[in-house]
Amino acid sequence: MNDKRFWNRVDELLDERLDPLEDRDVQVALREDPAKLVELERLTGRLARLDEAPIVASQFPIAKVALAAAGVVAVVSLSFMLSDSETEPERVLEISRLDAEPPSSLSLGRFRLSVTNSGLFGSRSSVVEDGRVSRTTFNEGSNGQPNRIILTVESSPRRLP
Amino acid sequence: MICSILLLSALFLPQDSQRIALGGAQDLAAEGVIDEELVLSIYDVQDILTNLSSSTMHDDERSDKTPEERKFERDQRRKRIVSEFVGKLQKHLDPPYSEGSNELELAGMSLAKVPTSIVFTGTQQQQAWVDAFLRAHRGRDQFVIVSTNFLAGPRGAFHDSKTGTGNRFFMNEQAIGEYLGEMRAQKKVEFMVAPQVMTSPGIQASISTLSETAYIESVTMRVVEPGGIEIADPEVSTFEEGVRMEIDITPVPKRAIRNPKGEWIVEAGLKMALHLRVENSTVERPIPTRSVRVSSRPDAEGIQVSTPVVTRVALEADLMLELGTGILIGGPSSEEDQDVAILISLPTKQLMKLRSQR
């Protein structure tokens, strides 16, 4: 779905008072281009604020409360989706998975990314492999003998710095 | 036993067709003699294996080895190429290879000393996939460009909140272009080098732009005769600077599905399985020097020695991409506040341009 079609679809859904994040086409488009999520959040946030403004002057306190509550729910839903919280609601988790997982045709198997910096001071290296980051600092003495070796391993099954 | 008889009889059949399906296996399946879902097929792979082995024999002429040694090396290389090809077929087979029910064997021997056939026992769905895999390896006019971008930026510059890592996939070239544009606009990310390789699938490709520079690492003072003269004996070392890439691309068909007529067909398009090793070495300029005094004489002058600072970023990875897609693989640098990332993509636009120029 290109940008124009995506935003047209979002407009249609908002006009119909429906949550765009519930729509399958929007979910697929967000999976393809997660950057749109940030713009969608901005738009929804602005709409929530716009919704609040006229209600302040309204003479119907019940409608004011209802719309303000809807705005809060929208903002809270988006903040849940963007956060790393483990207590996300089921629907948001589903979208999160869609964003995080590539289509089956793309995959990353085993990899090893290393950066080594060497000079008069000795060498420093950082290696990402099998979900672990290991750092090594090797300080050389004046005659080339090892003075100090520091090895740090940071392990995380899902998240790397 | 039955399979052996079928195999022997099949080997005497004409090998013109690329695939020889044994109807007998279907009959046996109907009778319940073998698993009803399994089919034994023989595929003619002589052309593929001959092409693959001939494309990697060019460096033999440059060696100083005896004819016997060269012949032995060629035979070993052929065996390795054949073994790798069969291994790739087995590795990427879809639905996956099962030791219990699938069988994959080589048969026959051509004049070029490569096996002529692959004998595969599998389901109809797997057979359709194998057929597509072999067809993908017959396209000798195919070229794939592998593009890489080495990036460096402040800590967290490449972090993707969606995956929770420094890795992210790009579904199309527009997304890749937009991401690189965004990185350029931020002006915090350094674009280090962007090497590309154009290769033909199935063939291992490599490039190297490494340049070697010699420098004086240290100096030892020696007293030599006659005359007991002190001389400075330099110890010369070298460092390498530049890019090295080694890439092996295997075209992999998508999944076989049933069409409305009930026939197995393979989904359009190919995936590209990449095994790549890339590295980029850079040296800080100007190269720092320091003065060392090695003589015992009080009036001796210091001698300048170099202390180059070399940064090497290297990645080895197994990936599956499609033409037009890409992946960013990132992680922390050896510097505390820095991250590095390598963007790997398979562009299509340049490929089309190249084709139009041919």
Side-chain angles (χ1 to χ4, degrees), chain A residues 37 100 102-103 105-120 124 126 128 133 135 158-160, chain B residues 162 164-165 169 171 308-320 322 325 329-335 340:
Chain A
L37 188 60
S105 57
L106 309 186
S107 65
L108 171 62
R110 294 193 64 166
F111 74 96
R112 184 180 198 275
L113 175 65
S114 65
V115 185
T116 308
N117 194 251
S118 57
L120 180 63
R124 287 189 296 270
S126 175
V128 183
V133 180
R135 298 170 199 274
R158 281 185 58 80
R159 302 192 185 285
L160 299 174
Chain B
K162 300 294 174 238
T165 70
F169 285 94
M171 306 308 160
V309 178
V310 183
T311 303
R312 180 174 170 271
V313 180
L315 171 71
E316 180 165 6
D318 284 307
L319 314 167
M320 187 74 82
E322 281 186 53
T325 66
I329 300 175
S333 172
S334 51
E335 302 301 313
V340 295

Side-chain angles (χ1 to χ4, degrees), chain A residues 6-7 10 14 18-22 26-27 30 34-49 69-85 88-89 91-93 95-96 99, chain B residues 161-162:
Chain A
F6 172 80
W7 291 114
V10 169
L14 289 173
L18 295 172
D19 184 352
L21 295 173
E22 293 279 10
V26 172
Q27 289 175 4
L30 288 174
K36 285 194 178 82
L37 188 60
V38 180
E39 292 177 52
L40 184 60
E41 181 210 12
R42 277 196 210 115
L43 174 67
T44 320
R46 281 195 206 112
L47 285 173
R49 283 196 295 276
V72 169
V73 167
V75 171
V76 168
S77 298
L78 282 166
S79 63
F80 261 120
M81 195 172 61
L82 293 171
S83 77
D84 293 331
S85 167
E88 294 160 326
R91 178 179 65 81
V92 176
L93 269 179
I95 294 167
S96 175
D99 286 337
Chain B
S161 59
K162 300 294 174 238

Side-chain angles (χ1 to χ4, degrees), chain B residues 140-175:
Chain B
R140 303 299 298 165
D141 58 342
Q142 293 175 359
F143 289 99
V144 176
I145 296 172
V146 181
S147 173
T148 59
N149 270 283
F150 285 70
L151 310 171
R155 178 56 47 90
F158 310 109
H159 189 270
D160 183 11
S161 59
K162 300 294 174 238
T163 60
T165 70
N167 309 330
R168 67 174 76 200
F169 285 94
F170 298 94
M171 306 308 160
N172 51 55
E173 285 169 288
Q174 188 189 347

